[in-house]
Each structure stands twice: as structure tokens, then as C-alpha cells.
């Protein structure tokens, strides 16, 4: 009984920490006081391929999205910061339908769980299940949410780890170079 109580408290502690900070799949990384941090993408690091089907079966490939800025958001419904930032990602996608694609890659959850979340939240942006986590691993994602920022030429600018209001001034500053690159590619 004491061991079960100890185990319950340990699990509860992890859940509380995960609900109040970015969730780490393997290691917890530090975040800024704002709840997120930005990591530059090394130009020497190759850009992984992206090929996933959304909930309706449409296959999304990063190479097919050239000419538009792309945000790839890695999330899970069990992650409170992921759930909290999802509405702002939807608003961002709605504000920029011509020059931005926002893809929400769900980590290792069942299709049913993902569909229920999408229905509850009325998401219309593409939600791409990653049932084995292979895509998240390929992109080096260990903190949730993490959002990869890619310009219209397919160049990765940075990765934002943690929750961010994607319609706020901090996000606008991060997104400006992506839109500049998209405008110059036309």
C-alpha cells in the first residue's frame, strides 16, 4: 500500500510538471521565463523528409509545399501546453491561408483519440497522426509542443520549444523572416 501511494505521488508529480511546462518525451529542456525557447536550426543539419497522411487520408509532403511558409507543430492531447496553444495555431492558419501551411503532427496517439480532440476543438488545420513517433524522431523532437519554422524555399529557420501564442508579437517576430522569404520567392 505504501509503495502504491509512493508510485501514485511520483506519477502525479510528473503530470503536474508536464501540465505547467513543455512536456519532454525523453529529457526536459530549459525554457525561457515566457514558457518557450527558440533553437536555431544548423545549416549543416539536413532537413528530414515529411510524408504523413492527415485524418482524411491526404498525404502531406514538405517538398510539395515549396512557395509557402510552413509550421510543423508536434503535439499530443495529453500535453497541456500543446492543447493550450492549438487555438492560436488555428487562428494563425486562418489569418494566412495563401502563404502559410500549419501542420499539426500528433505524437503516438490513436486515430480515435486524435479525431475526438479535433472534433472537440473544431480544428480545421491539417492534423497528421505520427503513430510510431518516427517523424518526431526524424526531426529530433523531444519537447512538446515543438514547432518547426520553415520558409518558402524549404529552409528550416528554427524550432520553438514550448507553448507560444502564435498570434502574439513574439510569434510575429519569429514568422516575419518566413513571410519575407515567401514574398521574395514569388
Amino acid at each position: 500500500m505504501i509503495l502504491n501511494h509512493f508510485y501514485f505521488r511520483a506519477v502525479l508529480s510528473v503530470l503536474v510538471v508536464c501540465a505547467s511546462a513543455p512536456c519532454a518525451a525523453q529529457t526536459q529542456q530549459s525554457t525561457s521565463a515566457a514558457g518557450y525557447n527558440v533553437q536555431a536550426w544548423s545549416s549543416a543539419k539536413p532537413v528530414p523528409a515529411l510524408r504523413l497522411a492527415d485524418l482524411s487520408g491526404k498525404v502531406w509532403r514538405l517538398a510539395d509545399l515549396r512557395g509557402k511558409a510552413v509550421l510543423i507543430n508536434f503535439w499530443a492531447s495529453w500535453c497541456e501546453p500543446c492543447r493550450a496553444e492549438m487555438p492560436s495555431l488555428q487562428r494563425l492558419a486562418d489569418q494566412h491561408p495563401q502563404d502559410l501551411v500549419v501542420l499539426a503532427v500528433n505524437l503516438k496517439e490513436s486515430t480515435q483519440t486524435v479525431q475526438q480532440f479535433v472534433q472537440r476543438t473544431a480544428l480545421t488545420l491539417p492534423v497528421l497522426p505520427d503513430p510510431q513517433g518516427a517523424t518526431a524522431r526524424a526531426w529530433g523532437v523531444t519537447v512538446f509542443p515543438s514547432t518547426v519554422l520553415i520558409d518558402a524555399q524549404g529552409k528550416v529557420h528554427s524550432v520553438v520549444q514550448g507553448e507560444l501564442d502564435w498570434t502574439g508579437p513574439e510569434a510575429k517576430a519569429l514568422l516575419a523572416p518566413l513571410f519575407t522569404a515567401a514574398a521574395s520567392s514569388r
Side-chain angles (χ1 to χ4, degrees), residues 31-50:
T31 59
S32 70
Y36 70 93
N37 69 37
V38 180
Q39 294 186 342
W41 188 272
S42 168
S43 60
K45 186 176 178 180
V47 177
L50 175 75

Side-chain angles (χ1 to χ4, degrees), residues 154-170:
K155 178 185 176 224
V156 178
H157 282 248
S158 56
V159 178
V160 177
Q161 296 177 324
E163 178 185 348
L164 178 62
D165 174 1
W166 287 100
T167 57
E170 297 89 357

Side-chain angles (χ1 to χ4, degrees), residues 7 28 36 54 56 73 93 101 106 109 114 125 131-132 141 183 185:
Y7 178 74
Q28 181 67 39
Y36 70 93
D54 64 21
S56 66
N73 177 263
V101 176
N106 176 269
E109 293 187 288
V114 177
L125 57 86
Q132 305 303 315
V141 173
S185 73

